[in-house]
Amino acid sequence: VQLQASGGGLVQPGGSLRLSCAASGRTFSNTHMGWFRQAPGREREFVAAFRWSSGMTYYADSVKGRFTISRDKAKTTVYLQMNNLKPEDTAVYYCAVDFAAILSSLRIASNYEYWGQGTLVTVSS
C-alpha cells in the first residue's frame, strides 16, 4: 500500500489549501481513510476521515465547518479542502488508511495501518 500526500504550503490566515492523498496497492472499498496532523511538540491528532463504503465523513470539532474531506473514487484519491485557515492549523498533515474500519476506532491514529509521508501546512502572515 502506498499513500502519496501533497498540497501543503504556506498560506496566510483566512486562506485556503487543498491536500490530496493518492492511494494505491490494494482495494480500498471497505476502509477508513483519514487525515491527521502533528504540530511541533504535540501529539498526532485526528482531523477528518472518510468511511469509504458509506461515504460518511467525520471531523474533529476544531475543523468542523472549515475543512471538507472528499474522494475521487476513480482515482482512489482523498482530498482535504481547508478553508479559513488559522495559525493553529499549522502542522504536518498525514493521510492514513485503516483496513479494519471499525467505526468506534475511526479517530484513533494507532488503528491506521498505513501512512503517507506527510505534507507541511504553515499558516502565517
Side-chain angles (χ1 to χ4, degrees):
V1 173
Q2 289 191 324
L3 301 175
Q4 183 69 40
S6 61
L10 173 64
V11 63
Q12 293 187 341
S16 298
L17 281 175
R18 189 177 81 155
L19 306 183
S20 300
C21 178
S24 62
R26 278 180 66 173
T27 301
F28 296 91
S29 57
N30 290 297
T31 63
H32 293 155
M33 293 193 76
W35 288 96
F36 291 78
R37 67 186 181 186
Q38 188 165 18
R42 300 189 66 177
E43 292 188 355
R44 193 167 296 189
E45 65 173 359
F46 172 76
V47 175
F50 197 101
R51 191 169 171 85
W52 203 269
S53 59
S54 65
M56 292 290 291
T57 56
Y58 304 85
Y59 297 94
D61 288 344
S62 58
V63 306
K64 204 172 291 184
R66 300 188 297 121
F67 291 11
T68 303
I69 189 170
S70 62
R71 67 176 170 182
D72 181 328
K73 263 180 144 176
K75 295 180 182 178
T76 322
T77 299
V78 175
Y79 303 98
L80 186 68
Q81 177 66 42
M82 306 185 294
N83 297 329
N84 191 21
L85 283 159
K86 304 176 181 180
E88 52 263 42
D89 295 317
T90 296
V92 177
Y93 284 70
Y94 299 89
C95 61
V97 62
D98 171 13
F99 283 94
I102 298 170
L103 187 56
S104 60
S105 305
L106 180 138
R107 298 170 187 265
I108 303 172
S110 60
N111 286 287
Y112 286 73
E113 296 97 336
Y114 296 94
W115 292 81
Q117 81 282 13
T119 184
L120 176 63
V121 172
T122 303
V123 185
S124 174
S125 55

